[in-house]
Amino acid sequence: MTKIIEIKHLSKTFKVKEKEKGFKGSLKSIIKPKYKLKKAVNNINLSIDKGEIIAFIGPNGAGKSTTIKMLTGILCPSSGQAIVSGVNPAKQRKKLAYKIGTVFGQKEQLWTQLTPYDNFKFFGAIYDLKDYEIEKRIKELNDTLELNDFINTPVRNLSLGQRIRCEIAASLIHKPEILFLDEPTIGLDPVVKENIRVLIKRMNKEFGTTIFLTSHDVGDIEKLCKRVIIINDGKVVLDDSMSNLKYNYLNKKIIEVKMKEKVNLSDEDGITVLKDKGYGLKLSIDVSKKSVSDVIRMLDTDKIIDINISNEPLENIIANIYKGSK
């Protein structure tokens, strides 16, 4: 397979001002500040194949954003280097811009007063595409991402799900080889989330786009990625297949249930009672030992008023992996 991203001994160190306690300390920090060095990314080595969909995840402050900024040319590394689609981002940022696309779920890149169609024309012109190339590309994206119902509606009038779809389309107007997606489904309802995931898969399949995904949503990672890279304290602590991760770490479900009557349920093999408020229970289920349906039958379905089943928070999973890596 062709390597589209190669990272060798990549590190980034920041100079951070130290704060001292108290009024005198604060005054001293202003007049004669002291600095310390913080290593945000620490000697990362990675390679990613063309056409892969990979999850690049970790807790807040782990070094994800700093790494992505170096891969996209926003930051220069303190040492080591990255080669992205044959380009050194630190030295050839303009050339790199024609090879990558970015979508940040919490940041808009579209002009809200314009329609998606006008935005696509604008971005096409920025990337030096000719008019007929832009029109052809808009038609391809319109067909693939199903934008026709709102392509001529001002962006400010679109739903969040529609806007994210258009953000993805705008980032693909110049046929980038790599798409960096940062929390693409954040704030979306479950149905729209699933639609966006389907579109990302289709985009990868039909355009051959390499997807570099960061997300705190376990569903995004499970349904989109075959490979997961976990970073913490600036270091890669896990680089493994999704199937291995699911087998070893994604075997827990959280069940929150509200009952008509009080239920006496205690810990047993595969079931841990996290909270017991009489009529309300919160359980952790190890699905390798006990199925969710078995637990529901134990509770008696006729007595259940409300139930919510979710994955264990990704932060907990990462914390367990990180503990095991030390």
Side-chain angles (χ1 to χ4, degrees), residues 252-264:
K252 288 186 179 177
K253 297 284 182 182
I254 305 297
I255 296 179
E256 295 176 89
V257 62
K258 188 176 180 182
M259 307 294 295
K260 292 178 183 176
E261 300 175 7
K262 290 184 178 181
V263 176
N264 293 317

Side-chain angles (χ1 to χ4, degrees), residues 1 23 56 134 164 201 212 248 268 279 281 312 314:
M1 292 290 290
F23 176 74
F56 187 70
I134 296 172
I164 293 294
K201 274 188 175 180
F212 194 100
N248 292 307
E268 60 177 83
Y279 294 95
L281 288 170
E312 185 178 15
L314 187 60

Side-chain angles (χ1 to χ4, degrees), residues 92-134:
Q92 301 165 290
R93 187 179 175 189
K94 185 175 179 181
K95 186 177 180 180
L96 180 69
Y98 288 82
K99 292 174 174 283
I100 65 171
T102 58
V103 175
F104 299 99
Q106 294 175 300
K107 294 180 182 178
E108 295 181 352
Q109 62 178 335
L110 300 176
W111 295 87
T112 57
Q113 68 270 31
L114 299 180
T115 65
Y117 175 81
D118 289 334
N119 269 285
F120 302 155
K121 293 276 284 185
F122 171 74
F123 283 107
I126 284 178
Y127 287 107
D128 301 324
L129 298 180
K130 295 177 181 177
D131 284 344
Y132 78 88
E133 291 176 315
I134 296 172

Side-chain angles (χ1 to χ4, degrees), residues 176-310:
E177 296 177 29
I178 308 167
L179 183 61
F180 291 89
L181 294 174
D182 185 12
E183 303 285 359
T185 65
I186 193 167
L188 302 179
D189 65 59
V191 174
V192 179
K193 275 187 181 185
E194 188 57 34
N195 290 339
I196 295 297
R197 289 167 186 157
V198 169
L199 291 172
I200 291 169
K201 274 188 175 180
R202 188 189 302 172
M203 181 176 61
N204 170 256
K205 184 179 179 181
E206 295 188 11
F207 300 146
T209 312
T210 303
I211 309 295
F212 194 100
L213 170 74
T214 66
S215 179
H216 281 86
D217 191 317
V218 174
D220 285 348
I221 297 159
E222 273 192 285
K223 295 181 180 182
L224 289 172
C225 305
K226 289 185 178 179
R227 179 182 171 196
V228 179
I229 299 165
I230 297 178
I231 184 174
N232 204 353
D233 285 346
K235 298 178 181 179
V236 172
V237 295
L238 184 84
D239 182 354
D240 207 347
S241 68
M242 188 67 229
S243 57
N244 283 346
L245 188 72
K246 286 174 82 170
Y247 181 80
N248 292 307
Y249 298 102
L250 299 182
N251 49 13
K252 288 186 179 177
K253 297 284 182 182
I254 305 297
I255 296 179
E256 295 176 89
V257 62
K258 188 176 180 182
M259 307 294 295
K260 292 178 183 176
E261 300 175 7
K262 290 184 178 181
V263 176
N264 293 317
L265 195 67
S266 56
D267 290 359
E268 60 177 83
D269 194 30
I271 301 175
T272 303
V273 179
L274 302 176
K275 285 183 184 177
D276 185 351
K277 295 183 177 179
Y279 294 95
L281 288 170
K282 185 175 181 180
L283 311 171
S284 175
I285 310 302
D286 185 340
V287 294
S288 66
K289 297 177 180 178
K290 192 83 68 175
S291 72
V292 172
S293 56
D294 285 342
V295 176
I296 292 173
R297 279 194 289 271
M298 288 171 63
L299 294 170
D300 190 345
T301 53
D302 292 335
K303 296 176 183 177
I304 295 175
I305 297 173
D306 192 19
I307 187 168
N308 181 58
I309 303 169
S310 59

Side-chain angles (χ1 to χ4, degrees), residues 57-72:
I57 61 176
N60 292 331
K64 300 189 303 295
S65 296
T66 302
T67 303
I68 291 169
K69 285 175 181 176
M70 286 191 283
L71 294 179
T72 53

